[in-house]
Amino acid sequence: MAGGRLVPEGRVSAGCFALGVSVTLVPGLSGTQSGFITRVLLAIYLAFINVLLLLLYRGLHYQVAVRACFLGFVCGCGLLLSFGGSSWQHFGWYLCSLSFFHYSEYLVTAVINPKSLSLDSFLLNHSMAYTLAAMSSWVEFTIEKLLFPGLKQITWLSFLGLLMVLIGESLRKAAMLTAGSNFNHIVQNEKAESHRLVTNGVYSWSRHPSYVGWFYWSIGTQVILCNPICIVGYTLASWHFFCERIEEEEITLIQFFGKDYEQYKKRIPTRLPFIKGAKIDP
């Protein structure tokens, strides 16, 4: 926040995300019209909002607006699928979960640490591995839905996945808000004067609550989709990523805070299965 107000980029993103979500208000989209008519309506709406964004914004604000509006549009389409009574309901839950996660990463960063805010804060270009993982989940869902449609209609399992997503998302955002300006999407190699060791709130339960939240959120997205292959794949890939990330980060934190972090590390676990973090020399 700047002077108690959301920075301009944050305000632009909020308005444009809402604009994207407003696709749910387009007449006819929530009805029983044919797929062709639905596609035409979506294409007309996309063209309209793109022209609107071009008229309203320039430079960085346009780049923010495009990304936020796209995520809002995806979330809106997810809501339409979720409440449209189709067999794609659970995929709608997934779209809402995915789009809201990426948008909220940007918005919360704009609130807690605007100095670190950038287009990368959307995490849309997190890594090639992340992109491939997302695409693989879409491919698995589509193929299995065609070959084994009953597998994608296990509502209790998808609901369990939705709970995992909601809990994981809430934990991650609670960690970001608790850490405040100490939170950064990039591991810091140099200690700033403003850096302090955060041990209160959710950090009194886990040393890395944002990673715990993201870990279970990512697996939950695949449980929503009832993707057996990707549930296993996401679990292993996420575990490996956070195992390496936490060790790297904790080496830096020990350098920053010395004995204070070592004592904190001894008291509070990571809460990620079988991940102990950096070793401390006796």
Side-chain angles (χ1 to χ4, degrees), residues 143-180:
I143 292 175
E144 291 174 352
K145 184 170 174 55
L146 290 173
L147 297 179
F148 314 105
L151 178 63
K152 303 304 177 183
Q153 299 302 314
I154 309 176
T155 300
W156 70 265
L157 184 59
S158 292
F159 186 73
L160 174 62
L162 184 60
L163 285 178
M164 291 176 65
V165 161
L166 291 173
I167 293 171
E169 172 82 351
S170 298
L171 179 58
R172 179 167 172 83
K173 295 310 182 288
M176 292 174 70
L177 291 168
T178 302

mmCIF file of all heavy atoms in Angstrom, residues 143-180:
data_model
loop_
_atom_site.group_PDB
_atom_site.id
_atom_site.type_symbol
_atom_site.label_atom_id
_atom_site.label_comp_id
_atom_site.label_asym_id
_atom_site.label_seq_id
_atom_site.Cartn_x
_atom_site.Cartn_y
_atom_site.Cartn_z
ATOM 1 N N ILE A 143 -8.566 -36.459 -22.537
ATOM 2 C CA ILE A 143 -8.501 -37.840 -23.029
ATOM 3 C C ILE A 143 -9.327 -38.766 -22.147
ATOM 4 O O ILE A 143 -10.119 -39.587 -22.640
ATOM 5 C CB ILE A 143 -7.039 -38.319 -23.098
ATOM 6 C CG1 ILE A 143 -6.285 -37.553 -24.195
ATOM 7 C CG2 ILE A 143 -6.987 -39.824 -23.366
ATOM 8 C CD1 ILE A 143 -4.807 -37.870 -24.252
ATOM 9 N N GLU A 144 -9.167 -38.647 -20.843
ATOM 10 C CA GLU A 144 -9.906 -39.524 -19.938
ATOM 11 C C GLU A 144 -11.401 -39.235 -19.959
ATOM 12 O O GLU A 144 -12.210 -40.142 -19.775
ATOM 13 C CB GLU A 144 -9.343 -39.400 -18.526
ATOM 14 C CG GLU A 144 -7.939 -39.992 -18.399
ATOM 15 C CD GLU A 144 -7.307 -39.753 -17.039
ATOM 16 O OE1 GLU A 144 -7.877 -38.995 -16.233
ATOM 17 O OE2 GLU A 144 -6.236 -40.337 -16.774
ATOM 18 N N LYS A 145 -11.761 -37.981 -20.193
ATOM 19 C CA LYS A 145 -13.182 -37.648 -20.271
ATOM 20 C C LYS A 145 -13.822 -38.287 -21.500
ATOM 21 O O LYS A 145 -14.978 -38.704 -21.471
ATOM 22 C CB LYS A 145 -13.375 -36.125 -20.312
ATOM 23 C CG LYS A 145 -14.844 -35.703 -20.308
ATOM 24 C CD LYS A 145 -14.994 -34.213 -20.100
ATOM 25 C CE LYS A 145 -16.441 -33.770 -20.249
ATOM 26 N NZ LYS A 145 -17.351 -34.512 -19.349
ATOM 27 N N LEU A 146 -13.051 -38.375 -22.579
ATOM 28 C CA LEU A 146 -13.556 -39.011 -23.799
ATOM 29 C C LEU A 146 -13.628 -40.529 -23.662
ATOM 30 O O LEU A 146 -14.583 -41.162 -24.115
ATOM 31 C CB LEU A 146 -12.655 -38.637 -24.983
ATOM 32 C CG LEU A 146 -12.720 -37.172 -25.446
ATOM 33 C CD1 LEU A 146 -11.649 -36.908 -26.503
ATOM 34 C CD2 LEU A 146 -14.107 -36.843 -26.000
ATOM 35 N N LEU A 147 -12.596 -41.107 -23.020
ATOM 36 C CA LEU A 147 -12.519 -42.567 -22.930
ATOM 37 C C LEU A 147 -13.237 -43.130 -21.704
ATOM 38 O O LEU A 147 -13.837 -44.216 -21.772
ATOM 39 C CB LEU A 147 -11.049 -42.998 -22.896
ATOM 40 C CG LEU A 147 -10.212 -42.664 -24.136
ATOM 41 C CD1 LEU A 147 -8.767 -43.123 -23.934
ATOM 42 C CD2 LEU A 147 -10.808 -43.311 -25.378
ATOM 43 N N PHE A 148 -13.159 -42.429 -20.583
ATOM 44 C CA PHE A 148 -13.762 -42.900 -19.332
ATOM 45 C C PHE A 148 -14.561 -41.765 -18.688
ATOM 46 O O PHE A 148 -14.155 -41.232 -17.638
ATOM 47 C CB PHE A 148 -12.686 -43.378 -18.360
ATOM 48 C CG PHE A 148 -11.642 -44.257 -18.989
ATOM 49 C CD1 PHE A 148 -10.371 -43.757 -19.264
ATOM 50 C CD2 PHE A 148 -11.928 -45.571 -19.311
ATOM 51 C CE1 PHE A 148 -9.403 -44.553 -19.836
ATOM 52 C CE2 PHE A 148 -10.957 -46.382 -19.896
ATOM 53 C CZ PHE A 148 -9.693 -45.875 -20.163
ATOM 54 N N PRO A 149 -15.673 -41.350 -19.300
ATOM 55 C CA PRO A 149 -16.415 -40.175 -18.793
ATOM 56 C C PRO A 149 -16.841 -40.294 -17.335
ATOM 57 O O PRO A 149 -16.901 -39.295 -16.615
ATOM 58 C CB PRO A 149 -17.627 -40.099 -19.729
ATOM 59 C CG PRO A 149 -17.727 -41.450 -20.358
ATOM 60 C CD PRO A 149 -16.336 -41.957 -20.459
ATOM 61 N N GLY A 150 -17.110 -41.521 -16.875
ATOM 62 C CA GLY A 150 -17.525 -41.700 -15.489
ATOM 63 C C GLY A 150 -16.445 -41.309 -14.500
ATOM 64 O O GLY A 150 -16.741 -40.893 -13.370
ATOM 65 N N LEU A 151 -15.165 -41.418 -14.911
ATOM 66 C CA LEU A 151 -14.049 -41.077 -14.036
ATOM 67 C C LEU A 151 -14.058 -39.594 -13.672
ATOM 68 O O LEU A 151 -13.581 -39.212 -12.603
ATOM 69 C CB LEU A 151 -12.727 -41.440 -14.729
ATOM 70 C CG LEU A 151 -11.425 -41.109 -13.987
ATOM 71 C CD1 LEU A 151 -11.336 -41.896 -12.680
ATOM 72 C CD2 LEU A 151 -10.217 -41.407 -14.874
ATOM 73 N N LYS A 152 -14.615 -38.772 -14.554
ATOM 74 C CA LYS A 152 -14.614 -37.332 -14.333
ATOM 75 C C LYS A 152 -15.879 -36.839 -13.639
ATOM 76 O O LYS A 152 -16.099 -35.629 -13.528
ATOM 77 C CB LYS A 152 -14.445 -36.596 -15.672
ATOM 78 C CG LYS A 152 -13.191 -36.989 -16.423
ATOM 79 C CD LYS A 152 -11.940 -36.790 -15.569
ATOM 80 C CE LYS A 152 -10.685 -37.250 -16.283
ATOM 81 N NZ LYS A 152 -9.486 -37.136 -15.442
ATOM 82 N N GLN A 153 -16.694 -37.759 -13.165
ATOM 83 C CA GLN A 153 -17.939 -37.387 -12.489
ATOM 84 C C GLN A 153 -17.979 -37.866 -11.040
ATOM 85 O O GLN A 153 -19.048 -38.082 -10.477
ATOM 86 C CB GLN A 153 -19.133 -37.959 -13.263
ATOM 87 C CG GLN A 153 -19.263 -37.442 -14.688
ATOM 88 C CD GLN A 153 -19.395 -35.933 -14.754
ATOM 89 O OE1 GLN A 153 -20.167 -35.330 -14.010
ATOM 90 N NE2 GLN A 153 -18.639 -35.297 -15.636
ATOM 91 N N ILE A 154 -16.799 -38.040 -10.442
ATOM 92 C CA ILE A 154 -16.724 -38.463 -9.040
ATOM 93 C C ILE A 154 -16.771 -37.197 -8.186
ATOM 94 O O ILE A 154 -15.747 -36.633 -7.804
ATOM 95 C CB ILE A 154 -15.440 -39.276 -8.764
ATOM 96 C CG1 ILE A 154 -15.295 -40.410 -9.780
ATOM 97 C CG2 ILE A 154 -15.461 -39.836 -7.339
ATOM 98 C CD1 ILE A 154 -14.001 -41.198 -9.645
ATOM 99 N N THR A 155 -17.978 -36.740 -7.898
ATOM 100 C CA THR A 155 -18.162 -35.432 -7.277
ATOM 101 C C THR A 155 -17.497 -35.321 -5.918
ATOM 102 O O THR A 155 -16.886 -34.292 -5.593
ATOM 103 C CB THR A 155 -19.665 -35.114 -7.159
ATOM 104 O OG1 THR A 155 -20.235 -35.100 -8.475
ATOM 105 C CG2 THR A 155 -19.892 -33.752 -6.520
ATOM 106 N N TRP A 156 -17.579 -36.366 -5.101
ATOM 107 C CA TRP A 156 -16.992 -36.284 -3.757
ATOM 108 C C TRP A 156 -15.480 -36.091 -3.832
ATOM 109 O O TRP A 156 -14.896 -35.362 -3.016
ATOM 110 C CB TRP A 156 -17.332 -37.533 -2.939
ATOM 111 C CG TRP A 156 -16.650 -38.795 -3.390
ATOM 112 C CD1 TRP A 156 -17.148 -39.745 -4.232
ATOM 113 C CD2 TRP A 156 -15.333 -39.248 -3.026
ATOM 114 N NE1 TRP A 156 -16.235 -40.758 -4.425
ATOM 115 C CE2 TRP A 156 -15.119 -40.478 -3.688
ATOM 116 C CE3 TRP A 156 -14.336 -38.737 -2.209
ATOM 117 C CZ2 TRP A 156 -13.935 -41.205 -3.564
ATOM 118 C CZ3 TRP A 156 -13.144 -39.459 -2.078
ATOM 119 C CH2 TRP A 156 -12.958 -40.674 -2.747
ATOM 120 N N LEU A 157 -14.839 -36.723 -4.843
ATOM 121 C CA LEU A 157 -13.396 -36.590 -4.992
ATOM 122 C C LEU A 157 -13.041 -35.180 -5.472
ATOM 123 O O LEU A 157 -12.094 -34.560 -4.965
ATOM 124 C CB LEU A 157 -12.870 -37.633 -5.971
ATOM 125 C CG LEU A 157 -11.345 -37.688 -6.160
ATOM 126 C CD1 LEU A 157 -10.650 -37.973 -4.838
ATOM 127 C CD2 LEU A 157 -10.974 -38.750 -7.194
ATOM 128 N N SER A 158 -13.804 -34.684 -6.436
ATOM 129 C CA SER A 158 -13.564 -33.323 -6.911
ATOM 130 C C SER A 158 -13.803 -32.305 -5.805
ATOM 131 O O SER A 158 -13.087 -31.300 -5.699
ATOM 132 C CB SER A 158 -14.476 -33.010 -8.106
ATOM 133 O OG SER A 158 -14.110 -33.767 -9.235
ATOM 134 N N PHE A 159 -14.798 -32.559 -4.965
ATOM 135 C CA PHE A 159 -15.074 -31.652 -3.855
ATOM 136 C C PHE A 159 -13.921 -31.673 -2.850
ATOM 137 O O PHE A 159 -13.545 -30.635 -2.302
ATOM 138 C CB PHE A 159 -16.381 -32.027 -3.173
ATOM 139 C CG PHE A 159 -16.809 -31.052 -2.107
ATOM 140 C CD1 PHE A 159 -17.306 -29.805 -2.452
ATOM 141 C CD2 PHE A 159 -16.693 -31.370 -0.768
ATOM 142 C CE1 PHE A 159 -17.686 -28.902 -1.473
ATOM 143 C CE2 PHE A 159 -17.069 -30.475 0.218
ATOM 144 C CZ PHE A 159 -17.567 -29.229 -0.143
ATOM 145 N N LEU A 160 -13.350 -32.854 -2.627
ATOM 146 C CA LEU A 160 -12.175 -32.962 -1.758
ATOM 147 C C LEU A 160 -11.031 -32.126 -2.323
ATOM 148 O O LEU A 160 -10.332 -31.418 -1.591
ATOM 149 C CB LEU A 160 -11.748 -34.421 -1.625
ATOM 150 C CG LEU A 160 -10.448 -34.693 -0.850
ATOM 151 C CD1 LEU A 160 -10.574 -34.233 0.598
ATOM 152 C CD2 LEU A 160 -10.089 -36.182 -0.911
ATOM 153 N N GLY A 161 -10.845 -32.208 -3.641
ATOM 154 C CA GLY A 161 -9.810 -31.407 -4.288
ATOM 155 C C GLY A 161 -10.068 -29.921 -4.134
ATOM 156 O O GLY A 161 -9.139 -29.140 -3.917
ATOM 157 N N LEU A 162 -11.338 -29.534 -4.231
ATOM 158 C CA LEU A 162 -11.694 -28.122 -4.063
ATOM 159 C C LEU A 162 -11.370 -27.651 -2.654
ATOM 160 O O LEU A 162 -10.873 -26.528 -2.460
ATOM 161 C CB LEU A 162 -13.173 -27.919 -4.369
ATOM 162 C CG LEU A 162 -13.697 -26.479 -4.335
ATOM 163 C CD1 LEU A 162 -12.964 -25.612 -5.357
ATOM 164 C CD2 LEU A 162 -15.200 -26.448 -4.591
ATOM 165 N N LEU A 163 -11.621 -28.488 -1.656
ATOM 166 C CA LEU A 163 -11.265 -28.142 -0.275
ATOM 167 C C LEU A 163 -9.754 -27.987 -0.124
ATOM 168 O O LEU A 163 -9.275 -27.069 0.553
ATOM 169 C CB LEU A 163 -11.783 -29.214 0.688
ATOM 170 C CG LEU A 163 -13.275 -29.222 0.982
ATOM 171 C CD1 LEU A 163 -13.628 -30.387 1.911
ATOM 172 C CD2 LEU A 163 -13.710 -27.902 1.624
ATOM 173 N N MET A 164 -8.991 -28.884 -0.748
ATOM 174 C CA MET A 164 -7.526 -28.787 -0.705
ATOM 175 C C MET A 164 -7.062 -27.467 -1.313
ATOM 176 O O MET A 164 -6.168 -26.796 -0.794
ATOM 177 C CB MET A 164 -6.897 -29.965 -1.458
ATOM 178 C CG MET A 164 -7.063 -31.310 -0.788
ATOM 179 S SD MET A 164 -6.389 -32.662 -1.801
ATOM 180 C CE MET A 164 -4.627 -32.257 -1.798
ATOM 181 N N VAL A 165 -7.685 -27.093 -2.426
ATOM 182 C CA VAL A 165 -7.342 -25.840 -3.102
ATOM 183 C C VAL A 165 -7.650 -24.640 -2.212
ATOM 184 O O VAL A 165 -6.838 -23.722 -2.063
ATOM 185 C CB VAL A 165 -8.097 -25.735 -4.444
ATOM 186 C CG1 VAL A 165 -8.141 -24.298 -4.932
ATOM 187 C CG2 VAL A 165 -7.448 -26.630 -5.486
ATOM 188 N N LEU A 166 -8.835 -24.632 -1.611
ATOM 189 C CA LEU A 166 -9.245 -23.501 -0.780
ATOM 190 C C LEU A 166 -8.350 -23.370 0.460
ATOM 191 O O LEU A 166 -7.939 -22.266 0.828
ATOM 192 C CB LEU A 166 -10.704 -23.665 -0.357
ATOM 193 C CG LEU A 166 -11.744 -23.535 -1.482
ATOM 194 C CD1 LEU A 166 -13.139 -23.881 -0.958
ATOM 195 C CD2 LEU A 166 -11.729 -22.132 -2.078
ATOM 196 N N ILE A 167 -8.034 -24.501 1.092
ATOM 197 C CA ILE A 167 -7.176 -24.466 2.278
ATOM 198 C C ILE A 167 -5.759 -24.048 1.891
ATOM 199 O O ILE A 167 -5.128 -23.219 2.550
ATOM 200 C CB ILE A 167 -7.177 -25.833 2.981
ATOM 201 C CG1 ILE A 167 -8.564 -26.119 3.574
ATOM 202 C CG2 ILE A 167 -6.112 -25.875 4.076
ATOM 203 C CD1 ILE A 167 -8.733 -27.527 4.106
ATOM 204 N N GLY A 168 -5.249 -24.635 0.805
ATOM 205 C CA GLY A 168 -3.901 -24.296 0.358
ATOM 206 C C GLY A 168 -3.779 -22.836 -0.043
ATOM 207 O O GLY A 168 -2.812 -22.153 0.319
ATOM 208 N N GLU A 169 -4.765 -22.343 -0.778
ATOM 209 C CA GLU A 169 -4.761 -20.934 -1.196
ATOM 210 C C GLU A 169 -4.837 -20.010 0.011
ATOM 211 O O GLU A 169 -4.116 -19.012 0.095
ATOM 212 C CB GLU A 169 -5.959 -20.684 -2.124
ATOM 213 C CG GLU A 169 -6.189 -19.232 -2.493
ATOM 214 C CD GLU A 169 -5.310 -18.766 -3.639
ATOM 215 O OE1 GLU A 169 -4.407 -19.518 -4.045
ATOM 216 O OE2 GLU A 169 -5.506 -17.642 -4.117
ATOM 217 N N SER A 170 -5.710 -20.342 0.964
ATOM 218 C CA SER A 170 -5.861 -19.507 2.162
ATOM 219 C C SER A 170 -4.572 -19.477 2.979
ATOM 220 O O SER A 170 -4.162 -18.419 3.486
ATOM 221 C CB SER A 170 -7.012 -20.029 3.027
ATOM 222 O OG SER A 170 -8.242 -19.961 2.322
ATOM 223 N N LEU A 171 -3.915 -20.627 3.112
ATOM 224 C CA LEU A 171 -2.669 -20.698 3.868
ATOM 225 C C LEU A 171 -1.575 -19.880 3.192
ATOM 226 O O LEU A 171 -0.834 -19.142 3.855
ATOM 227 C CB LEU A 171 -2.226 -22.155 4.015
ATOM 228 C CG LEU A 171 -0.918 -22.398 4.777
ATOM 229 C CD1 LEU A 171 -0.992 -21.831 6.185
ATOM 230 C CD2 LEU A 171 -0.594 -23.893 4.810
ATOM 231 N N ARG A 172 -1.477 -19.990 1.886
ATOM 232 C CA ARG A 172 -0.441 -19.237 1.172
ATOM 233 C C ARG A 172 -0.663 -17.735 1.299
ATOM 234 O O ARG A 172 0.268 -16.977 1.569
ATOM 235 C CB ARG A 172 -0.402 -19.636 -0.305
ATOM 236 C CG ARG A 172 0.661 -18.857 -1.081
ATOM 237 C CD ARG A 172 0.911 -19.451 -2.437
ATOM 238 N NE ARG A 172 1.787 -18.611 -3.244
ATOM 239 C CZ ARG A 172 3.124 -18.607 -3.183
ATOM 240 N NH1 ARG A 172 3.749 -19.397 -2.332
ATOM 241 N NH2 ARG A 172 3.833 -17.811 -3.963
ATOM 242 N N LYS A 173 -1.898 -17.292 1.113
ATOM 243 C CA LYS A 173 -2.154 -15.856 1.188
ATOM 244 C C LYS A 173 -2.003 -15.349 2.620
ATOM 245 O O LYS A 173 -1.550 -14.221 2.843
ATOM 246 C CB LYS A 173 -3.544 -15.538 0.642
ATOM 247 C CG LYS A 173 -3.696 -15.833 -0.850
ATOM 248 C CD LYS A 173 -2.569 -15.208 -1.655
ATOM 249 C CE LYS A 173 -2.681 -15.418 -3.153
ATOM 250 N NZ LYS A 173 -2.421 -16.777 -3.614
ATOM 251 N N ALA A 174 -2.346 -16.173 3.611
ATOM 252 C CA ALA A 174 -2.123 -15.786 5.015
ATOM 253 C C ALA A 174 -0.637 -15.614 5.274
ATOM 254 O O ALA A 174 -0.212 -14.690 5.982
ATOM 255 C CB ALA A 174 -2.713 -16.841 5.954
ATOM 256 N N ALA A 175 0.179 -16.484 4.679
ATOM 257 C CA ALA A 175 1.631 -16.379 4.844
ATOM 258 C C ALA A 175 2.152 -15.102 4.197
ATOM 259 O O ALA A 175 2.992 -14.397 4.769
ATOM 260 C CB ALA A 175 2.311 -17.602 4.224
ATOM 261 N N MET A 176 1.670 -14.784 3.023
ATOM 262 C CA MET A 176 2.114 -13.578 2.326
ATOM 263 C C MET A 176 1.739 -12.327 3.120
ATOM 264 O O MET A 176 2.546 -11.414 3.291
ATOM 265 C CB MET A 176 1.494 -13.523 0.925
ATOM 266 C CG MET A 176 2.010 -14.595 -0.022
ATOM 267 S SD MET A 176 1.157 -14.624 -1.627
ATOM 268 C CE MET A 176 1.762 -13.092 -2.369
ATOM 269 N N LEU A 177 0.512 -12.302 3.623
ATOM 270 C CA LEU A 177 0.062 -11.130 4.380
ATOM 271 C C LEU A 177 0.798 -10.998 5.705
ATOM 272 O O LEU A 177 1.095 -9.895 6.153
ATOM 273 C CB LEU A 177 -1.449 -11.228 4.612
ATOM 274 C CG LEU A 177 -2.326 -11.060 3.360
ATOM 275 C CD1 LEU A 177 -3.770 -11.462 3.659
ATOM 276 C CD2 LEU A 177 -2.278 -9.629 2.846
ATOM 277 N N THR A 178 1.100 -12.125 6.339
ATOM 278 C CA THR A 178 1.830 -12.095 7.613
ATOM 279 C C THR A 178 3.265 -11.620 7.397
ATOM 280 O O THR A 178 3.790 -10.819 8.180
ATOM 281 C CB THR A 178 1.841 -13.487 8.265
ATOM 282 O OG1 THR A 178 0.498 -13.928 8.475
ATOM 283 C CG2 THR A 178 2.573 -13.450 9.603
ATOM 284 N N ALA A 179 3.895 -12.105 6.343
ATOM 285 C CA ALA A 179 5.285 -11.721 6.059
ATOM 286 C C ALA A 179 5.383 -10.276 5.589
ATOM 287 O O ALA A 179 6.398 -9.607 5.813
ATOM 288 C CB ALA A 179 5.883 -12.654 5.017
ATOM 289 N N GLY A 180 4.332 -9.785 4.942
ATOM 290 C CA GLY A 180 4.338 -8.397 4.477
ATOM 291 C C GLY A 180 5.455 -8.119 3.497
ATOM 292 O O GLY A 180 5.692 -8.898 2.563
#
